[in-house]
Amino acid sequence: MKKYLIAFFCYLSYASSFAQTNTPKYSNEFLAIGVDARAMAMSGAYTAVADDISSGYWNPAGLNLQKDKYSGALMHSQYFAGIANYDYAAFSTRIDSLSTLAISAIRLGIDDIPDTRYLYDANGALNYDNIKFFSSADYGFLFSYARKLHALGGIRAGISAKIIYRSAGSFATAWGYGLDIGFQKSIKNINIGLMLKDITGTYNTWNHNTSMIADIYAQTGNEIPENSIEVTLPRFILGASYRLNFIQKLSMLISVDLESTLDGKRNTLIKSEQLSIDPKAGIELGYVDKFFVRFGVGQFQEIQNFDRSYTTVFQPNFGVGVQLKQFSIDYAMTDIGDQAESPYSHVLSLKARFNDKK
């Protein structure tokens, strides 16, 4: 065990130094938004809680807790007053009593962006028929496999292989790939989860169609972008959850996550030049395991005031859910409170569960 710990901390040291010289900050951040209204209402404090199809995103080890043969999920939300659409779809199936497979798809896109490069025709007159429209969208596809490891004391383990496609119309495209690895362990009413995201580094290869933009860049004096490779550094999430049953019909689930990034100092509650830690917490109150109310806090940041003093702010989340025999409907409202700079974001998700007919 000692040699594995030494190797792990050596890897952290290498990744931290690599972050300072070769990688951009906030790479592939669309994959850090989150999926599933239940998890979003709990501010993403979900690494130890994940126990269904959404585990393919939050912690693939949680797929081991899927009870039904098949499961499907859909989610939709909008950001920036409806300008950006964020969608998620997933399907999972249990292979046997020890293993589960899942595939997930995520899209964050801004559609119908006007291309006004040729607004003026050759004679210098306005011609609105020359306006074309394009989309700027990011896609993530996750292929997940989970298995319960009896040889290691019943630890649940999972892995997600990611394929990423990003496009800005016909101007630029990128393909990327990476791996996420997750673990979970249950000790009575306590769950412990560990998520290693982008464990090998996620590489995006950008290809710019310079022939379409060379003239515009030359006129504005901007530097023409070059084809490049963008690396997303690993982030590590350690989580714990505790379930408490008050009486026969009431329950409470409490969860906490500590998300660590290695791409330099971020505006988080705990930070240094190499490591930043962002804490999150969530609570779920349940009635007869069918009706739920959820709360969460996260996104702790320091904001500078006019008098140069600093104030710590955070983002509160709220949600409700109902679980029927084969379906679950969940709703979350995020970006709420006086400190939010953007309008409310409403997240709605639907999950379905099915078994083979006998």
Side-chain angles (χ1 to χ4, degrees):
M1 178 61 71
K2 183 182 294 185
K3 66 179 181 180
Y4 290 118
L5 289 175
I6 294 174
F8 177 70
F9 284 111
C10 287
Y11 177 76
L12 289 182
S13 177
Y14 163 77
S16 297
S17 61
F18 189 75
Q20 304 304 314
T21 57
N22 297 285
T23 60
K25 187 170 289 192
Y26 308 114
S27 173
N28 283 334
E29 283 297 297
F30 80 100
L31 288 179
I33 296 176
V35 302
D36 184 34
R38 181 193 181 198
M40 299 291 280
M42 299 175 70
S43 291
Y46 213 66
T47 304
V49 177
D51 60 357
D52 58 16
I53 185 172
S54 66
S55 302
Y57 172 89
W58 293 105
N59 186 343
L63 289 169
N64 287 284
L65 297 175
Q66 177 173 316
K67 299 178 181 179
D68 300 278
K69 176 65 176 178
Y70 306 106
S71 184
L74 295 172
M75 185 204 78
H76 175 73
S77 62
Q78 294 181 333
Y79 294 94
F80 310 112
I83 295 176
N85 290 291
Y86 186 65
D87 297 288
Y88 159 77
F91 172 80
S92 63
T93 179
R94 177 163 285 283
I95 302 173
D96 51 39
S97 60
L98 297 178
S99 53
T100 307
L101 281 175
I103 180 172
S104 310
I106 298 170
R107 180 186 187 270
L108 174 64
I110 300 176
D111 302 304
D112 297 326
I113 303 172
D115 178 2
T116 59
R117 290 176 300 150
Y118 306 108
L119 179 60
Y120 292 90
D121 60 22
N123 298 321
L126 281 171
N127 188 344
Y128 292 101
D129 292 333
N130 288 339
I131 298 178
K132 306 297 181 182
F133 296 88
F134 67 95
S135 297
S136 178
D138 299 327
Y139 298 86
F141 304 94
L142 286 71
F143 304 88
S144 307
Y145 174 75
R147 187 171 182 85
K148 190 172 184 179
L149 306 177
H150 286 298
L152 297 178
I155 290 178
R156 300 184 294 274
I159 185 170
S160 290
K162 298 188 291 190
I163 297 177
I164 297 168
Y165 176 71
R166 305 177 65 183
S167 68
S170 301
F171 304 105
T173 59
W175 285 96
Y177 58 90
L179 289 175
D180 298 340
I181 299 177
F183 303 92
Q184 283 184 343
K185 176 66 176 178
S186 297
I187 305 173
K188 295 184 178 180
N189 290 343
I190 299 175
N191 273 357
I192 299 173
L194 175 64
M195 182 64 168
L196 312 176
K197 301 191 73 172
D198 305 299
I199 186 63
T200 59
T202 295
Y203 296 83
N204 286 353
T205 303
W206 280 97
N207 180 33
H208 298 274
N209 190 351
T210 55
S211 63
M212 296 184 63
I213 56 178
D215 293 341
I216 303 298
Y217 274 66
Q219 294 174 21
T220 58
N222 291 321
E223 182 179 351
I224 298 177
E226 298 179 355
N227 296 340
S228 60
I229 296 178
E230 177 183 294
V231 183
T232 305
L233 282 176
R235 65 178 66 193
F236 308 93
I237 309 171
L238 179 63
S241 66
Y242 178 74
R243 181 179 176 87
L244 176 65
N245 294 315
F246 292 110
I247 55 177
Q248 185 176 3
K249 295 183 178 181
L250 296 178
S251 64
M252 180 171 67
L253 178 66
I254 304 172
S255 64
V256 176
D257 271 16
L258 297 176
E259 181 172 348
S260 303
T261 53
L262 299 168
D263 53 6
K265 182 182 287 187
R266 294 190 177 205
N267 189 9
T268 59
L269 193 62
I270 305 170
K271 51 185 175 292
S272 68
E273 293 299 329
Q274 290 77 31
L275 178 69
S276 298
I277 301 176
D278 186 18
K280 308 171 185 178
I283 296 177
E284 178 183 74
L285 302 176
Y287 177 70
V288 297
D289 286 333
K290 292 184 181 297
F291 306 98
F292 302 93
V293 178
R294 305 175 180 114
F295 306 91
V297 291
Q299 296 289 326
F300 290 88
Q301 295 184 348
E302 286 187 341
I303 304 298
Q304 188 173 27
N305 303 314
F306 285 108
D307 60 0
R308 296 186 179 276
S309 63
Y310 286 88
T311 302
T312 299
V313 299
F314 61 89
Q315 175 182 303
N317 292 350
F318 167 79
V320 295
V322 57
Q323 182 167 303
L324 307 176
K325 184 176 181 181
Q326 290 182 300
F327 298 93
S328 298
I329 303 174
D330 297 294
Y331 165 80
M333 183 164 61
T334 66
D335 294 344
I336 61 177
D338 294 336
Q339 303 297 339
E341 297 180 0
S342 59
Y344 298 158
S345 294
H346 305 278
V347 183
L348 184 65
S349 63
L350 170 67
K351 286 178 281 190
R353 302 170 295 274
F354 302 97
N355 289 296
D356 290 327
K357 294 182 179 180
K358 297 182 178 179

